Amino acid sequence: MSDTPMRPITTTSTEPHPQSEVERGTAFPWFAVFKRELGVYFRSPIAYGVAFAILFFLALLFNGYVTQANGQYPADSTYAPGLLTFLTFLIAPLLTMRLIAEEAREGTLEVLMTLPMNESQFILGKFLAAWAYYTVLLLVSLVYLVILSAIGTPDLGAAFGAYVGAWLYGGAVLAVTLVWSAITEDQIVAAFLGAATVLVLYLAEIAAIWIGGQSGTSGLADFVRELGLQAHYSATMARGIIRAEDILYFVFLIVGALFITTRIVETRRWRA
């Protein structure tokens, strides 16, 4: 029997750490954050619970729609993305409430800010991870379009516009709710305020109708309507009409919300 002492067995993790990736320069800084957060989504039981609840709810409503419309109404290829956009006032706050609030509450936000990247790259990685997860949900809902194609003749042009619109719609809503995750360390408060903000933007169309009913307020009504989400989705993209002004609305909303979030995180960093 040999007297040579045994070497200690060491194990190394196969999953690269964001900090090591950024320091080696093997990835864009935002991509390291994106990969980390996307991995958290697909390892989180809450994320799977959200996906199951949303898709199960969509399945129930879709089954009821098919049962009622079978042989009586034309196949509506925009039904599933339309429902998903409506449910974003619940989906988006649940997906973004922990992204920054949890980091700030646990004190890891300052540690992550020591990585060789700026705040905008950090926020971009977080946002793109949430948007990627939402995109997966949207792609899974394509199964309903396949079912409609098997039992009817849906308008594929309208479906394309509706799904593109639902993707941009989801990105804009996620960016807006991410602002509240940066403002407060309480995830429940962030989710509540995010949902309230999305509902305000969603109901802007109703507010515009009420304002338009008052004398001499047509200009204000048009302004409020253009601020809302529905004016740039339900009236156009949900019907297969893709306009440049609608795409720009969602892009500017995403960029503006991410800019605000970045400024908030910068302020927190300097205060710390």
Side-chain angles (χ1 to χ4, degrees):
M1 185 172 181
S2 175
D3 295 332
T4 304
M6 296 179 61
R7 294 181 180 180
I9 299 175
T10 59
T11 59
T12 58
S13 174
T14 59
E15 183 178 353
H17 192 273
Q19 183 171 2
S20 62
E21 287 197 2
V22 174
E23 290 177 347
R24 289 197 310 266
T26 58
F28 293 106
W30 63 265
F31 184 74
V33 178
F34 165 80
K35 188 164 64 172
R36 171 180 177 266
E37 293 299 330
L38 190 61
V40 170
Y41 276 125
F42 286 100
R43 290 193 303 267
S44 170
I46 296 178
Y48 282 101
V50 170
F52 173 79
I54 295 300
L55 295 175
F56 181 72
F57 184 67
L58 281 176
L60 289 178
L61 293 180
F62 181 79
N63 181 68
Y65 162 75
V66 171
T67 302
Q68 182 180 6
N70 190 20
Q72 301 182 22
Y73 307 103
D76 185 2
S77 57
T78 66
Y79 187 78
L83 281 176
L84 198 59
T85 55
F86 171 72
L87 293 174
T88 51
F89 84 95
L90 293 174
I91 301 172
L94 292 175
L95 293 181
T96 60
M97 65 180 185
R98 53 158 289 275
L99 287 180
I100 303 176
E102 185 179 47
E103 306 278 12
R105 181 175 57 85
E106 295 182 353
T108 57
L109 182 61
E110 290 76 14
V111 176
L112 290 172
M113 286 291 94
T114 62
L115 297 177
M117 63 178 169
N118 55 40
E119 288 82 357
S120 60
Q121 293 171 324
F122 175 75
I123 297 301
L124 181 63
K126 294 268 188 180
F127 165 72
L128 290 179
W131 202 5
Y133 184 83
Y134 171 82
T135 302
V136 172
L137 292 180
L138 190 62
L139 291 176
V140 171
S141 71
L142 283 171
V143 67
Y144 303 121
L145 181 60
V146 174
I147 295 173
L148 281 178
S149 300
I151 62 177
T153 309
D155 187 342
L156 297 182
F160 177 78
Y163 273 95
V164 170
W167 183 67
L168 292 171
Y169 188 110
V173 170
L174 287 167
V176 169
T177 55
L178 186 60
V179 174
W180 293 109
S181 183
I183 291 176
T184 176
E185 296 181 3
D186 192 317
Q187 297 184 39
I188 303 302
V189 173
F192 175 78
L193 292 176
T197 305
V198 175
L199 281 177
V200 169
L201 292 173
Y202 182 86
L203 297 175
E205 183 76 17
I206 298 176
I209 295 174
W210 180 83
I211 294 173
Q214 313 300 316
S215 59
T217 57
S218 59
L220 179 59
D222 292 338
F223 176 75
V224 172
R225 181 178 293 106
E226 290 301 317
L227 286 179
L229 293 165
Q230 291 304 298
H232 300 279
Y233 177 75
S234 295
T236 54
M237 287 188 166
R239 300 178 182 180
I241 303 172
I242 300 178
R243 302 185 305 175
E245 60 190 85
D246 296 326
I247 295 176
L248 289 175
Y249 166 82
F250 290 119
V251 171
F252 285 147
L253 190 57
I254 291 172
V255 172
L258 293 182
F259 176 81
I260 294 173
T261 305
T262 302
R263 297 286 83 82
I264 294 172
V265 172
E266 283 181 351
T267 303
R268 280 193 168 187
R269 181 180 184 179
W270 287 114
R271 286 180 178 178

